[in-house]
Amino acid sequence: MKTTMFTRATVADAAQLLRNGELVAFPTETVYGLGADATNVTAVKKVYAAKGRPSDNPLIVTVADIDTVRRFADVTPVAERLMRKYWPGPLTIILNIIPGALDAAVTGGLPTAAFRCPDNAATRELIKLSGNPIVGPSANLSGKPSPTTAQHVLHDMDGRIAGILDDGPARVGVESTILDLSGDTPAILRPGYVDESMLAADLQTVNTDQHHVGANETPKAPGMKYKHYAPDAQVVIVDHQVDFPAAIKWAQADPRAFGVLATDQVLATVPAGVETYSLGTDLASATRDLFAGLRYFDLHPDISLVLAQGFDPEGLGAAYMNRINKSAGGEHFPVTAP
């Protein structure tokens, strides 16, 4: 099919495609999502097909306002307080749903669903004009780095989806925090911009231990079970800046061609002739540009090893390290020989 690019001026045309049961990628402050009418099971199943996504990986329901959530779920007082504080914004909340309100294609067959209201006016208008909430997984091929620009989406999805709403690059660069409020104890299932310290003001206890999802278990949230964010090259995380000279020496002795994904301070020490991608000057820019950097090396098929800078896993660093660890398959320098 032809994939049409839309802008804020043509958002009504993009909404019509959603009403027709087609797929339209949309911008958020975190990454670009892949939208389909969340109440149209046929359309939802197209999302799995377009992404090559496992069918037991639940989808986030993306809304334009809190009242829409009430159509599908039990909005507790705690949930409403957090929604009013952080929405629109990079916080996804898992709630118990009204029985039968959402199809198993959206929930993975679970009695819960994840809801989010993005901080992007064009997307909220798209949802309002479409008349229903939309599912919103990242608009990339399953397992690949998430897209932070419309061009990233087009690279993965050209010919697979009907349209892309382009509203410029994402500001945050990693997916939203996922907070599970469906049980007795609130739990962060995926770290993001809204971190534990920010949530502490409204929640007495927050569980941050990442649950390992078994092979026969359906995950409550995206990113908990399957490999994510991986470029074709093997990523190796260098946890400390002082270790980069040794890591580069190790990579130079490896037969594979390598590149470096790091901040400008680190890149200033990289020998000439090595392919590099700048993550800017600090953790915030590194988080924003991480997925773009991983995609950059995918465009260089000759490079099969990437040394990537690590950060302390605190605050926003927890979100950065969660993504880069999954991209690397947990591989850190020094690498232990098999």
Side-chain angles (χ1 to χ4, degrees):
M1 70 174 68
K2 177 179 171 56
T3 300
T4 302
M5 299 294 288
F6 297 97
T7 65
R8 286 193 178 202
T10 55
V11 67
D13 296 327
Q16 182 61 55
L17 286 177
L18 290 172
R19 290 196 296 273
N20 292 345
E22 300 294 345
L23 307 187
V24 176
F26 59 90
T28 78
E29 76 281 22
T30 57
V31 301
Y32 272 68
L34 183 54
D37 183 340
T39 68
N40 182 333
V41 177
T42 301
V44 170
K45 289 181 177 178
K46 289 181 182 179
V47 170
Y48 289 98
K51 283 177 60 69
R53 181 186 178 98
S55 60
D56 68 343
N57 204 4
L59 301 170
I60 290 173
V61 180
T62 309
V63 301
D65 52 56
I66 297 173
D67 286 340
T68 301
V69 182
R70 301 184 202 281
R71 291 170 48 191
F72 304 95
D74 175 22
V75 179
T76 64
V78 171
E80 180 162 356
R81 184 164 69 248
L82 290 171
M83 289 173 183
R84 294 194 181 281
K85 184 172 183 177
Y86 290 106
W87 283 10
L91 178 65
T92 294
I93 298 176
I94 296 178
L95 299 171
N96 292 302
I97 61 170
I98 298 167
L102 289 167
D103 191 84
V106 176
T107 66
L110 296 173
T112 59
F115 297 88
R116 160 154 149 76
C117 179
D119 187 12
N120 183 279
T123 287
R124 294 197 303 277
E125 182 68 11
L126 174 72
I127 296 169
K128 290 176 182 177
L129 292 173
S130 73
N132 280 313
I134 57 179
V135 295
S138 54
N140 55 284
L141 293 174
S142 189
K144 287 298 181 182
S146 298
T148 53
T149 69
Q151 289 68 39
H152 293 162
V153 179
L154 190 64
H155 179 272
D156 282 16
M157 293 291 162
D158 191 14
R160 290 173 173 262
I161 64 176
I164 301 170
L165 176 58
D166 185 358
D167 195 38
R171 304 189 309 275
V172 175
V174 294
E175 300 88 346
S176 60
T177 304
I178 296 182
L179 178 67
D180 185 5
L181 293 182
S182 66
D184 295 332
T185 303
I188 295 176
L189 302 187
R190 182 178 73 188
Y193 181 84
V194 179
D195 63 30
E196 179 184 6
S197 65
M198 297 166 69
L199 294 168
D202 296 281
L203 301 172
Q204 290 184 334
T205 304
V206 184
N207 182 6
T208 58
D209 293 333
Q210 296 296 299
H211 171 62
H212 176 71
V213 179
N216 298 317
E217 186 178 355
T218 299
K220 266 191 171 183
M224 295 181 67
K225 182 175 181 180
Y226 298 98
K227 187 177 182 181
H228 277 65
Y229 321 122
D232 291 334
Q234 172 62 55
V235 176
V236 174
I237 302 167
V238 183
D239 290 295
H240 307 289
Q241 289 190 29
V242 294
D243 292 332
F244 261 96
I248 289 172
K249 186 175 180 180
W250 166 78
Q252 287 174 326
D254 192 286
R256 295 172 290 181
F258 76 97
V260 178
L261 178 66
T263 56
D264 293 341
Q265 184 177 1
V266 169
L267 295 187
T269 69
V270 175
V274 175
E275 195 70 49
T276 63
Y277 189 91
S278 172
L279 292 178
T281 59
D282 55 21
L283 174 60
S285 65
T287 304
R288 183 193 66 224
D289 296 337
L290 173 61
F291 289 145
L294 292 172
R295 284 181 168 269
Y296 174 82
F297 286 109
D298 258 353
L299 298 176
H300 292 74
D302 55 312
I303 293 176
S304 50
L305 175 66
V306 176
L307 300 179
Q309 184 172 348
F311 288 87
D312 290 334
E314 302 294 331
L316 186 59
Y320 176 94
M321 291 305 296
N322 172 270
R323 302 328 190 265
I324 197 67
N325 263 306
K326 290 184 177 182
S327 175
E331 195 75 76
H332 290 247
F333 179 81
V335 175
T336 303

